[in-house]
Amino acid sequence: MSKRRSKKEKEEKKREVEEKESRKESKRTSGRATSGRRVSRKSSFDMDQWINERLDDLSSYLQINYLGLDRELMRAIVKRIIEILWDEDKKPDMERLSSRIRRNLDKLRSIISQMILESGVELSSEQFEYVASSDGPWILSYAPTLYRYALKYGREDLLSNLRYLWVKWWTQSRDSEIPPECPRCGFNALMPDGVCIVCGYSPAPTDLLKHYRFDDYIDKLVSRGDINRIKTILTRGLVLVSSLGIKSPDEDKSKYDLEVHLPRIYREKLQKIIEQVSR
């Protein structure tokens, strides 16, 4: 009897130990599952609401609060900038965000200007000045629009900057060769068909010859004694107009050079020069 009880007691103790171990394992498993759920939960917040509550401050940091932009456009601009500068999965810290804005303000200005142009809003004088003083490849698409605003507001000073940016981004984004300058708008935008892609002007031969100082070009040939070149121009009845000025038709022609046929008054002048030199 005592042996059977001893054996039975041993079996009961073994079961108790196994049950205890089972309960411990169950707790550990439950803890891991709960912990996993806690890790998988990410803190979230309403970005749009956060921006709305701070829109005035954020627009001030970006230095666009004085532009009088529509609040919907302002909100879209601010949101885009925050998406660029703040990729952390938590609510932005205003101090750190404003610091990033200050460090990148020039680059952000280009993005903001493009968004203003893409919105299609009628630009006020302040908005036009802001955009025209910025720098970005969008100039190649929006030069016609900006040229009209420059005329509207009488801003020749800003036109000079736009022309510079046009050449800069043309050579960086489109072609290493530059088209001739348009006599009307001053942009290097005359295409091989003779039409300016900024202002739409199609200059007459006389306009081009005056703009590119044909008479001065001929005077230089005379002073150098290069009469043969003058004869070539008269024989061919034309000159080439490039971004660098007038060229003789016997010089290398680039893709944007325009053939400008000489009106009769210019041909007669060349004929007189040749006759005078030949005497």
Side-chain angles (χ1 to χ4, degrees):
M1 285 289 292
S2 89
K3 288 183 178 181
R4 283 198 298 270
R5 278 198 304 271
S6 177
K7 184 177 181 180
K8 186 176 181 180
E9 287 172 357
K10 288 180 179 179
E11 289 176 351
E12 287 176 353
K13 286 182 179 179
K14 184 179 179 181
R15 280 197 300 271
E16 287 175 2
V17 171
E18 289 174 350
E19 288 174 358
K20 285 181 180 179
E21 290 297 327
S22 177
R23 285 194 295 270
K24 288 180 181 178
E25 180 62 26
S26 177
K27 287 181 180 179
R28 285 196 296 267
T29 304
S30 175
R32 285 196 298 268
T34 304
S35 175
R37 286 194 296 271
R38 282 197 298 268
V39 171
S40 65
R41 267 193 229 107
K42 295 182 178 179
S43 59
S44 61
F45 69 100
D46 189 331
M47 173 66 82
D48 292 330
Q49 181 179 345
W50 187 88
I51 290 174
N52 287 338
E53 293 171 352
R54 298 161 179 81
L55 187 59
D56 291 339
D57 290 337
L58 292 167
S59 63
S60 179
Y61 293 154
L62 291 169
Q63 300 180 10
I64 58 174
N65 53 317
Y66 71 95
L67 292 179
L69 296 171
D70 176 85
R71 288 190 73 81
E72 284 302 315
L73 176 56
M74 183 89 76
R75 191 177 293 109
I77 290 172
V78 169
K79 184 174 183 179
R80 176 63 181 138
I81 298 306
I82 292 176
E83 289 172 346
I84 293 171
L85 296 180
W86 194 268
D87 57 357
E88 302 174 32
D89 185 37
K90 60 182 179 181
K91 188 181 299 184
D93 177 82
M94 285 291 281
E95 185 175 345
R96 291 172 60 196
L97 181 61
S98 63
S99 177
R100 293 179 186 181
I101 288 174
R102 286 193 299 272
R103 290 198 306 268
N104 297 278
L105 198 55
D106 287 342
K107 294 178 181 178
L108 298 179
R109 186 183 179 105
S110 178
I111 297 170
I112 293 169
S113 295
Q114 183 172 352
M115 291 187 70
I116 292 174
L117 290 168
E118 289 176 346
S119 72
V121 299
E122 184 72 17
L123 300 184
S124 66
S125 176
E126 292 79 9
Q127 292 165 1
F128 166 66
E129 182 174 2
Y130 179 89
V131 173
S133 301
S134 304
D135 184 0
W138 38 261
I139 181 66
L140 298 179
S141 300
Y142 290 99
T145 300
L146 294 172
Y147 172 68
R148 289 194 295 271
Y149 277 113
L151 295 182
K152 177 180 178 180
Y153 294 121
R155 297 301 301 270
E156 178 62 35
D157 57 324
L158 294 177
L159 259 182
S160 298
N161 185 56
L162 292 172
R163 292 177 185 124
Y164 162 76
L165 293 176
W166 171 271
V167 173
K168 170 186 172 180
W169 287 104
W170 180 279
T171 54
Q172 289 188 24
S173 304
R174 290 195 180 176
D175 202 332
S176 59
E177 295 187 36
I178 304 171
E181 183 179 284
C182 173
R184 174 176 287 177
C185 68
F187 283 81
N188 288 85
L190 276 178
M191 294 293 101
D193 62 358
V195 178
C196 176
I197 58 176
V198 170
C199 69
Y201 184 49
S202 180
T206 302
D207 294 334
L208 286 170
L209 294 173
K210 286 181 179 179
H211 182 72
Y212 278 93
R213 301 178 181 276
F214 175 80
D215 289 343
D216 290 347
Y217 172 76
I218 296 301
D219 288 343
K220 288 180 181 179
L221 293 181
V222 172
S223 65
R224 295 203 307 257
D226 197 351
I227 304 303
N228 287 334
R229 180 146 285 174
I230 296 176
K231 290 179 178 179
T232 299
I233 293 172
L234 179 60
T235 300
R236 298 280 295 275
L238 60 87
V239 291
L240 302 176
V241 168
S242 73
S243 61
L244 300 177
I246 290 178
K247 299 194 301 188
S248 174
D250 60 338
E251 296 183 70
D252 291 337
K253 181 181 178 182
S254 69
K255 68 170 75 173
Y256 295 111
D257 287 355
L258 298 175
E259 290 188 356
V260 180
H261 292 269
L262 302 179
R264 185 179 66 182
I265 187 172
Y266 287 93
R267 296 197 304 271
E268 291 176 348
K269 179 178 180 179
L270 294 183
Q271 184 63 49
K272 288 181 180 179
I273 290 173
I274 293 171
E275 291 174 355
Q276 290 173 356
V277 173
S278 300
R279 288 175 186 170

